[in-house]
Amino acid sequence: MLFAIGSVLFAVGSVPAYVSAVGTRWDTATYFVGSLFFTSASFLAYREAVDAGPADRRFFVYQPGRIDWWATAVQLAGTLYFNVSTGVAMAANLSAETEHQHLWRPDAIGSVCFLVASLLAWYEACHGWAAWRPRSWSWWIALTNLIGSIAFGVSAVAGYINPLTGEVHDAARANTQTFIGAICFLVGAVLLLPERTREAAGVTPPSAGSGRRSSG
């Protein structure tokens, strides 16, 4: 549910009509709140992966031998970068250099983290780099999250901020790709519900999950 709410907020924030209706300040706030939902969801996904491994009561652990640990840990790191990016975006009168360093750069790093996490989750769901498993909820979740991560990556490239002029490379494409990525993550989050139902009924498919970003 946290991933779904965050996805909805990112999708809404990327719609030009919404920006026109509420203004830039509230639009950036929408992204920031969405990023907090993503971070909360990613932390719970990380803890779920940790709790599924060897018993350990520490808050943060290091389990490099497990692909699900890597996927959730990298994703959690990505959400923290998005918190920084969307948080900085709410400030007024930022210099071009500040926007480049503290708005675009953490957004780009966060996008890379999400792409890596989604690739790892995809590998886990497929037990390899490619597989056709349309009857598996985990396969569909990993696929939609991977597509969403690619869209967010394209958005980060299109949203490059020139450190000298402060101009955005292609704001329209950045918003469009953010919307596509958010919808993909929303679908992936919704698909977690029937997967959970199957697990409660005694069917335990491989796990996978992801969620992300700002544009402005």
Short mmCIF file of all heavy atoms in Angstrom, two decimals, residues 78-122:
data_model
loop_
_atom_site.label_atom_id
_atom_site.label_comp_id
_atom_site.label_asym_id
_atom_site.label_seq_id
_atom_site.Cartn_x
_atom_site.Cartn_y
_atom_site.Cartn_z
N GLY A 78 18.44 4.07 -2.91
CA GLY A 78 17.89 4.92 -3.96
C GLY A 78 16.79 5.83 -3.46
O GLY A 78 16.73 7.01 -3.82
N THR A 79 15.93 5.32 -2.59
CA THR A 79 14.85 6.16 -2.06
C THR A 79 15.39 7.31 -1.22
O THR A 79 14.82 8.40 -1.22
CB THR A 79 13.86 5.34 -1.21
OG1 THR A 79 14.52 4.83 -0.05
CG2 THR A 79 13.27 4.18 -2.00
N LEU A 80 16.49 7.08 -0.51
CA LEU A 80 17.08 8.15 0.29
C LEU A 80 17.62 9.27 -0.60
O LEU A 80 17.50 10.46 -0.27
CB LEU A 80 18.20 7.59 1.17
CG LEU A 80 17.76 6.56 2.23
CD1 LEU A 80 18.96 6.01 2.98
CD2 LEU A 80 16.76 7.19 3.20
N TYR A 81 18.20 8.90 -1.75
CA TYR A 81 18.65 9.91 -2.70
C TYR A 81 17.46 10.71 -3.24
O TYR A 81 17.55 11.93 -3.43
CB TYR A 81 19.41 9.27 -3.85
CG TYR A 81 20.85 8.99 -3.54
CD1 TYR A 81 21.29 7.70 -3.29
CD2 TYR A 81 21.80 10.02 -3.50
CE1 TYR A 81 22.63 7.43 -3.00
CE2 TYR A 81 23.13 9.77 -3.22
CZ TYR A 81 23.54 8.47 -2.96
OH TYR A 81 24.86 8.22 -2.68
N PHE A 82 16.33 10.03 -3.46
CA PHE A 82 15.14 10.73 -3.94
C PHE A 82 14.58 11.66 -2.87
O PHE A 82 14.02 12.71 -3.18
CB PHE A 82 14.07 9.73 -4.38
CG PHE A 82 14.46 8.94 -5.59
CD1 PHE A 82 14.20 7.58 -5.66
CD2 PHE A 82 15.10 9.55 -6.66
CE1 PHE A 82 14.56 6.85 -6.77
CE2 PHE A 82 15.47 8.82 -7.78
CZ PHE A 82 15.20 7.47 -7.84
N ASN A 83 14.72 11.26 -1.58
CA ASN A 83 14.31 12.16 -0.50
C ASN A 83 15.09 13.46 -0.56
O ASN A 83 14.53 14.55 -0.40
CB ASN A 83 14.55 11.50 0.87
CG ASN A 83 13.65 10.32 1.13
OD1 ASN A 83 13.97 9.46 1.95
ND2 ASN A 83 12.52 10.22 0.44
N VAL A 84 16.40 13.34 -0.82
CA VAL A 84 17.25 14.53 -0.91
C VAL A 84 16.84 15.38 -2.11
O VAL A 84 16.63 16.60 -2.00
CB VAL A 84 18.74 14.13 -1.04
CG1 VAL A 84 19.59 15.37 -1.32
CG2 VAL A 84 19.21 13.43 0.21
N SER A 85 16.69 14.75 -3.27
CA SER A 85 16.35 15.47 -4.49
C SER A 85 15.01 16.20 -4.38
O SER A 85 14.91 17.39 -4.67
CB SER A 85 16.31 14.50 -5.67
OG SER A 85 15.90 15.15 -6.85
N THR A 86 13.99 15.49 -3.94
CA THR A 86 12.66 16.10 -3.84
C THR A 86 12.59 17.12 -2.71
O THR A 86 11.85 18.09 -2.79
CB THR A 86 11.57 15.02 -3.64
OG1 THR A 86 11.90 14.23 -2.48
CG2 THR A 86 11.47 14.11 -4.86
N GLY A 87 13.37 16.90 -1.64
CA GLY A 87 13.40 17.85 -0.55
C GLY A 87 14.05 19.16 -0.96
O GLY A 87 13.53 20.24 -0.67
N VAL A 88 15.18 19.06 -1.67
CA VAL A 88 15.87 20.26 -2.14
C VAL A 88 14.99 21.03 -3.12
O VAL A 88 14.99 22.26 -3.15
CB VAL A 88 17.21 19.89 -2.81
CG1 VAL A 88 17.82 21.11 -3.51
CG2 VAL A 88 18.18 19.35 -1.77
N ALA A 89 14.21 20.29 -3.93
CA ALA A 89 13.36 20.94 -4.94
C ALA A 89 12.33 21.87 -4.33
O ALA A 89 11.83 22.77 -5.00
CB ALA A 89 12.66 19.86 -5.78
N MET A 90 12.01 21.69 -3.04
CA MET A 90 11.00 22.54 -2.41
C MET A 90 11.56 23.91 -2.01
O MET A 90 10.80 24.83 -1.73
CB MET A 90 10.43 21.85 -1.16
CG MET A 90 9.59 20.63 -1.46
SD MET A 90 8.63 20.07 -0.02
CE MET A 90 9.97 19.63 1.10
N ALA A 91 12.89 24.03 -1.99
CA ALA A 91 13.49 25.31 -1.63
C ALA A 91 13.34 26.31 -2.77
O ALA A 91 13.27 25.95 -3.94
CB ALA A 91 14.96 25.12 -1.29
N ALA A 92 13.28 27.57 -2.43
CA ALA A 92 13.11 28.62 -3.44
C ALA A 92 14.43 29.30 -3.77
O ALA A 92 15.37 29.28 -2.97
CB ALA A 92 12.11 29.67 -2.92
N ASN A 93 14.50 29.87 -4.97
CA ASN A 93 15.65 30.66 -5.42
C ASN A 93 16.98 29.90 -5.34
O ASN A 93 17.99 30.40 -4.83
CB ASN A 93 15.77 31.95 -4.59
CG ASN A 93 14.52 32.80 -4.69
OD1 ASN A 93 13.94 32.95 -5.77
ND2 ASN A 93 14.10 33.36 -3.56
N LEU A 94 16.99 28.67 -5.83
CA LEU A 94 18.21 27.88 -5.85
C LEU A 94 19.08 28.31 -7.03
O LEU A 94 18.57 28.64 -8.10
CB LEU A 94 17.88 26.39 -5.99
CG LEU A 94 17.11 25.75 -4.83
CD1 LEU A 94 16.73 24.32 -5.19
CD2 LEU A 94 17.94 25.76 -3.55
N SER A 95 20.38 28.28 -6.83
CA SER A 95 21.29 28.60 -7.93
C SER A 95 21.35 27.42 -8.90
O SER A 95 20.97 26.29 -8.55
CB SER A 95 22.69 28.89 -7.39
OG SER A 95 23.26 27.71 -6.85
N ALA A 96 21.81 27.68 -10.11
CA ALA A 96 21.92 26.62 -11.12
C ALA A 96 22.85 25.52 -10.63
O ALA A 96 22.56 24.32 -10.82
CB ALA A 96 22.43 27.20 -12.44
N GLU A 97 23.95 25.89 -10.00
CA GLU A 97 24.91 24.91 -9.49
C GLU A 97 24.29 24.05 -8.39
O GLU A 97 24.48 22.83 -8.36
CB GLU A 97 26.15 25.62 -8.95
CG GLU A 97 27.22 24.68 -8.38
CD GLU A 97 27.82 23.76 -9.42
OE1 GLU A 97 27.78 24.10 -10.62
OE2 GLU A 97 28.35 22.70 -9.03
N THR A 98 23.52 24.67 -7.51
CA THR A 98 22.86 23.93 -6.43
C THR A 98 21.84 22.95 -6.99
O THR A 98 21.74 21.80 -6.53
CB THR A 98 22.17 24.89 -5.45
OG1 THR A 98 23.15 25.75 -4.86
CG2 THR A 98 21.44 24.14 -4.35
N GLU A 99 21.07 23.39 -7.97
CA GLU A 99 20.08 22.50 -8.59
C GLU A 99 20.75 21.31 -9.25
O GLU A 99 20.26 20.18 -9.18
CB GLU A 99 19.25 23.27 -9.61
CG GLU A 99 18.28 24.27 -8.98
CD GLU A 99 17.37 24.91 -10.02
OE1 GLU A 99 17.72 24.84 -11.22
OE2 GLU A 99 16.34 25.47 -9.63
N HIS A 100 21.88 21.57 -9.88
CA HIS A 100 22.61 20.47 -10.54
C HIS A 100 23.17 19.50 -9.50
O HIS A 100 23.02 18.28 -9.65
CB HIS A 100 23.75 21.04 -11.38
CG HIS A 100 24.62 19.99 -11.99
ND1 HIS A 100 24.29 19.33 -13.16
CD2 HIS A 100 25.81 19.45 -11.59
CE1 HIS A 100 25.23 18.45 -13.45
NE2 HIS A 100 26.16 18.51 -12.52
N GLN A 101 23.80 20.04 -8.46
CA GLN A 101 24.48 19.21 -7.47
C GLN A 101 23.52 18.49 -6.52
O GLN A 101 23.71 17.31 -6.20
CB GLN A 101 25.45 20.07 -6.64
CG GLN A 101 26.64 20.60 -7.41
CD GLN A 101 27.68 19.53 -7.68
OE1 GLN A 101 27.64 18.43 -7.12
NE2 GLN A 101 28.63 19.84 -8.54
N HIS A 102 22.50 19.18 -6.06
CA HIS A 102 21.67 18.64 -4.98
C HIS A 102 20.24 18.29 -5.39
O HIS A 102 19.48 17.76 -4.56
CB HIS A 102 21.63 19.65 -3.83
CG HIS A 102 22.99 19.98 -3.29
ND1 HIS A 102 23.80 19.05 -2.68
CD2 HIS A 102 23.71 21.14 -3.32
CE1 HIS A 102 24.94 19.61 -2.32
NE2 HIS A 102 24.92 20.88 -2.70
N LEU A 103 19.88 18.58 -6.62
CA LEU A 103 18.54 18.21 -7.11
C LEU A 103 18.67 17.15 -8.20
O LEU A 103 18.13 16.04 -8.06
CB LEU A 103 17.81 19.44 -7.63
CG LEU A 103 16.27 19.35 -7.74
CD1 LEU A 103 15.68 20.75 -7.86
CD2 LEU A 103 15.85 18.51 -8.93
N TRP A 104 19.42 17.48 -9.27
CA TRP A 104 19.52 16.51 -10.36
C TRP A 104 20.43 15.34 -10.03
O TRP A 104 20.08 14.19 -10.29
CB TRP A 104 20.03 17.18 -11.64
CG TRP A 104 20.21 16.16 -12.74
CD1 TRP A 104 19.23 15.61 -13.52
CD2 TRP A 104 21.43 15.52 -13.11
NE1 TRP A 104 19.77 14.68 -14.37
CE2 TRP A 104 21.12 14.60 -14.14
CE3 TRP A 104 22.76 15.64 -12.69
CZ2 TRP A 104 22.09 13.80 -14.75
CZ3 TRP A 104 23.73 14.85 -13.30
CH2 TRP A 104 23.39 13.94 -14.31
N ARG A 105 21.59 15.60 -9.44
CA ARG A 105 22.56 14.51 -9.21
C ARG A 105 22.02 13.41 -8.30
O ARG A 105 22.11 12.23 -8.64
CB ARG A 105 23.87 15.08 -8.66
CG ARG A 105 24.95 14.02 -8.45
CD ARG A 105 26.30 14.63 -8.20
NE ARG A 105 26.81 15.32 -9.37
CZ ARG A 105 28.00 15.90 -9.43
NH1 ARG A 105 28.80 15.88 -8.36
NH2 ARG A 105 28.41 16.51 -10.53
N PRO A 106 21.44 13.73 -7.11
CA PRO A 106 20.87 12.65 -6.30
C PRO A 106 19.71 11.94 -6.99
O PRO A 106 19.49 10.75 -6.79
CB PRO A 106 20.42 13.36 -5.01
CG PRO A 106 20.36 14.80 -5.36
CD PRO A 106 21.38 15.03 -6.41
N ASP A 107 18.98 12.69 -7.82
CA ASP A 107 17.89 12.05 -8.59
C ASP A 107 18.47 11.03 -9.57
O ASP A 107 17.93 9.93 -9.72
CB ASP A 107 17.09 13.11 -9.33
CG ASP A 107 15.93 12.52 -10.11
OD1 ASP A 107 15.02 11.98 -9.48
OD2 ASP A 107 15.96 12.59 -11.35
N ALA A 108 19.57 11.39 -10.23
CA ALA A 108 20.20 10.48 -11.18
C ALA A 108 20.77 9.26 -10.48
O ALA A 108 20.61 8.12 -10.95
CB ALA A 108 21.30 11.22 -11.95
N ILE A 109 21.42 9.47 -9.32
CA ILE A 109 21.98 8.35 -8.57
C ILE A 109 20.86 7.44 -8.07
O ILE A 109 20.96 6.21 -8.14
CB ILE A 109 22.81 8.86 -7.38
CG1 ILE A 109 24.03 9.63 -7.89
CG2 ILE A 109 23.26 7.70 -6.50
CD1 ILE A 109 24.83 10.30 -6.78
N GLY A 110 19.77 8.04 -7.59
CA GLY A 110 18.63 7.25 -7.14
C GLY A 110 18.04 6.43 -8.26
O GLY A 110 17.65 5.27 -8.07
N SER A 111 18.00 6.99 -9.47
CA SER A 111 17.47 6.26 -10.62
C SER A 111 18.34 5.06 -10.97
O SER A 111 17.84 3.99 -11.29
CB SER A 111 17.38 7.20 -11.84
OG SER A 111 16.45 8.23 -11.61
N VAL A 112 19.66 5.24 -10.86
CA VAL A 112 20.59 4.12 -11.11
C VAL A 112 20.38 3.03 -10.06
O VAL A 112 20.34 1.84 -10.38
CB VAL A 112 22.05 4.61 -11.09
CG1 VAL A 112 23.01 3.43 -11.13
CG2 VAL A 112 22.32 5.54 -12.27
N CYS A 113 20.21 3.44 -8.81
CA CYS A 113 19.96 2.47 -7.73
C CYS A 113 18.69 1.66 -8.00
O CYS A 113 18.67 0.44 -7.82
CB CYS A 113 19.84 3.19 -6.39
SG CYS A 113 21.39 3.83 -5.72
N PHE A 114 17.64 2.35 -8.44
CA PHE A 114 16.39 1.65 -8.70
C PHE A 114 16.52 0.70 -9.89
O PHE A 114 15.94 -0.39 -9.89
CB PHE A 114 15.27 2.66 -8.94
CG PHE A 114 14.47 2.92 -7.70
CD1 PHE A 114 15.04 3.61 -6.64
CD2 PHE A 114 13.17 2.47 -7.58
CE1 PHE A 114 14.32 3.83 -5.48
CE2 PHE A 114 12.45 2.69 -6.43
CZ PHE A 114 13.01 3.37 -5.37
N LEU A 115 17.28 1.10 -10.89
CA LEU A 115 17.47 0.22 -12.04
C LEU A 115 18.24 -1.03 -11.63
O LEU A 115 17.88 -2.15 -12.02
CB LEU A 115 18.22 0.96 -13.15
CG LEU A 115 18.45 0.18 -14.45
CD1 LEU A 115 17.12 -0.30 -15.03
CD2 LEU A 115 19.18 1.05 -15.46
N VAL A 116 19.30 -0.86 -10.84
CA VAL A 116 20.08 -2.00 -10.36
C VAL A 116 19.21 -2.92 -9.50
O VAL A 116 19.22 -4.15 -9.67
CB VAL A 116 21.30 -1.52 -9.56
CG1 VAL A 116 22.00 -2.70 -8.87
CG2 VAL A 116 22.28 -0.81 -10.47
N ALA A 117 18.43 -2.34 -8.58
CA ALA A 117 17.57 -3.13 -7.70
C ALA A 117 16.53 -3.90 -8.50
O ALA A 117 16.26 -5.08 -8.23
CB ALA A 117 16.88 -2.22 -6.69
N SER A 118 15.96 -3.25 -9.53
CA SER A 118 14.95 -3.91 -10.35
C SER A 118 15.55 -5.04 -11.18
O SER A 118 14.92 -6.07 -11.39
CB SER A 118 14.26 -2.89 -11.26
OG SER A 118 13.52 -1.96 -10.50
N LEU A 119 16.77 -4.84 -11.66
CA LEU A 119 17.46 -5.90 -12.41
C LEU A 119 17.73 -7.11 -11.52
O LEU A 119 17.57 -8.26 -11.94
CB LEU A 119 18.76 -5.37 -13.00
CG LEU A 119 18.64 -4.48 -14.24
CD1 LEU A 119 19.98 -3.83 -14.57
CD2 LEU A 119 18.14 -5.29 -15.44
N LEU A 120 18.14 -6.85 -10.28
CA LEU A 120 18.40 -7.95 -9.35
C LEU A 120 17.10 -8.70 -9.02
O LEU A 120 17.09 -9.93 -8.95
CB LEU A 120 19.04 -7.40 -8.07
CG LEU A 120 20.46 -6.86 -8.21
CD1 LEU A 120 20.92 -6.20 -6.91
CD2 LEU A 120 21.43 -7.98 -8.61
N ALA A 121 16.02 -7.93 -8.81
CA ALA A 121 14.73 -8.56 -8.52
C ALA A 121 14.25 -9.37 -9.72
O ALA A 121 13.67 -10.46 -9.58
CB ALA A 121 13.69 -7.50 -8.15
N TRP A 122 14.49 -8.86 -10.93
CA TRP A 122 14.13 -9.57 -12.16
C TRP A 122 14.92 -10.87 -12.27
O TRP A 122 14.38 -11.92 -12.61
CB TRP A 122 14.40 -8.67 -13.36
CG TRP A 122 14.31 -9.34 -14.70
CD1 TRP A 122 15.35 -9.68 -15.51
CD2 TRP A 122 13.11 -9.76 -15.37
NE1 TRP A 122 14.88 -10.28 -16.65
CE2 TRP A 122 13.51 -10.34 -16.60
CE3 TRP A 122 11.75 -9.69 -15.07
CZ2 TRP A 122 12.60 -10.85 -17.52
CZ3 TRP A 122 10.83 -10.21 -15.98
CH2 TRP A 122 11.26 -10.77 -17.18
#
